């Protein structure tokens, strides 16, 4: 092989090596350990920027750590992010007792409508489910239809509206006759699900839910919350990346 051929091969190998080096630099870890003691106590950062997200447990539940530093009277957040704060609009059963109308027989007509007359439906306290130790109304059939009326004084004063929902299993949720959420599957804790606050109206409102059990247990508890704006601390972030 002549000298020109060897030089060409060396240049090609150098280009290939540079390409893979560049690709390697772009790789991102799914999470970074901050505190690891045992599987039940660990705190992880889930983003490349240390201050871009709330720190979490390995189960992805929020496990908030905040790192702040005061420099010449300015407060900088270098670690973590504040967990969202919520104000209750419509309480769940863990916050306050409430009752719903429900039926285990498929209703006729527009049962999710605000104007629907739920004559013949039963009344029961939430939560509903099949574990007598943890619910107030027993439900052991395959399907249940639930309606809950409530009042809102000033829907436009809400910052961000979220449905707070814990269900087992397949669920469809309507607010004032409009479908706002649907999921096949179950949860084992409350989920905060964004919905449009324009779907609320001043005065009486109606949440209607169809829940279908396909396997395992049965459970339903729900409410509405307002995610509040961030607190008074105005963090300044002087850098963009902590590590690769």
């Amino acid at each position: 092989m002549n000298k020109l051929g060897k030089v060409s091969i060396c240049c090609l190998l150098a280009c290939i090596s540079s390409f893979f080096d560049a690709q390697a630099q772009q790789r991102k870890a799914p999470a970074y350990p901050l505190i690891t003691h045992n599987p039940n106590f660990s705190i992880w950062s889930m983003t490349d920027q240390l201050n871009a997200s709330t720190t979490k447990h390995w189960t992805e539940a929020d496990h908030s750590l905040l790192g702040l530093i005061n420099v010449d009277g300015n407060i900088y957040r270098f670690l973590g992010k504040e967990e969202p704060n919520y104000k209750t609009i419509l309480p769940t059963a863990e916050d306050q007792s409430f009752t719903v109308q429900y039926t285990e027989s498929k209703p006729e007509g527009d049962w999710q409508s605000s104007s629907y007359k739920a004559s013949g439906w039963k009344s029961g306290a939430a939560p509903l489910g099949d574990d007598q130790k943890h619910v107030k109304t027993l439900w052991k059939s395959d399907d249940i239809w639930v309606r809950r009326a409530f009042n809102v004084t000033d829907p436009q004063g809400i910052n961000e509206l979220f449905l707070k929902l814990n269900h087992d299993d397949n669920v469809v949720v309507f607010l004032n006759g409009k479908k706002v959420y649907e999921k096949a599957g179950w949860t084992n804790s409350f989920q905060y699900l964004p919905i449009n606050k324009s779907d609320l109206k001043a005065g009486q409102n109606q949440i209607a839910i169809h829940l279908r059990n396909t396997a395992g247990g049965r459970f339903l508890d729900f409410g509405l919350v307002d995610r509040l704006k961030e607190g008074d601390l105005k963090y300044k972030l002087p850098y963009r990346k902590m590590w690769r």
Side-chain angles (χ1 to χ4, degrees), residues 74-92:
N74 294 316
I75 297 178
Y76 299 87
R77 173 171 51 83
F78 65 89
L79 167 64
K81 194 175 182 180
E82 288 181 302
E83 291 186 47
N85 292 311
Y86 297 98
K87 176 183 176 182
T88 298
I89 296 173
L90 183 65
T92 64

Side-chain angles (χ1 to χ4, degrees), residues 38-75:
N38 59 50
N40 297 315
F41 182 76
S42 58
I43 301 178
W44 298 72
S45 175
M46 301 299 189
T47 50
D48 261 11
Q49 298 180 28
L50 189 57
N51 54 16
S53 65
T54 305
T55 54
K56 295 180 179 290
H57 187 255
W58 64 268
T59 59
E60 295 195 7
D62 285 341
H63 201 157
S64 184
L65 267 182
L66 277 179
L68 307 175
I69 185 170
N70 189 323
V71 180
D72 296 331
N74 294 316
I75 297 178

Side-chain angles (χ1 to χ4, degrees), residues 105-218:
S105 301
K106 185 175 181 178
E108 296 181 357
D110 193 12
W111 64 273
Q112 65 269 35
S113 169
S114 299
S115 59
Y116 181 80
K117 303 301 181 183
S119 57
W121 288 38
K122 299 176 182 178
S123 180
L128 302 89
D130 60 2
D131 185 348
Q132 195 163 9
K133 295 179 181 178
H134 298 104
V135 302
K136 293 184 178 179
T137 298
L138 282 175
W139 162 48
K140 294 190 175 182
S141 62
D142 290 336
D143 293 87
I144 192 167
W145 289 262
V146 175
R147 288 171 57 87
R148 180 183 182 186
F150 62 99
N151 288 305
V152 174
T153 304
D154 181 21
Q156 294 307 311
I158 295 170
N159 180 46
E160 292 183 69
L161 183 64
F162 282 74
L163 173 67
K164 183 179 178 182
L165 177 65
N166 190 357
H167 65 93
D168 189 356
D169 37 329
N170 300 355
V171 69
V172 186
V173 182
F174 299 86
L175 176 57
N176 294 326
K178 179 181 177 181
K179 184 192 294 186
V180 294
Y181 183 71
E182 182 174 9
K183 179 181 178 178
W186 56 277
T187 60
N188 57 11
S189 62
F190 279 106
Q191 306 298 304
Y192 292 81
L193 309 161
I195 57 178
N196 196 332
K197 70 179 182 181
S198 65
D199 293 329
L200 279 178
K201 56 186 180 182
Q204 189 173 78
N205 294 263
Q206 184 83 45
I207 289 180
I209 295 177
H210 175 212
L211 195 61
R212 179 170 179 78
N213 181 65
T214 60
R218 300 162 178 81

Side-chain angles (χ1 to χ4, degrees), residues 19-40:
F19 171 79
F20 283 110
D21 285 345
Q23 293 300 308
Q25 292 299 322
Q26 293 175 12
R27 292 175 183 169
K28 296 180 180 180
Y32 301 94
L34 303 177
I35 296 176
T36 55
H37 182 264
N38 59 50
N40 297 315

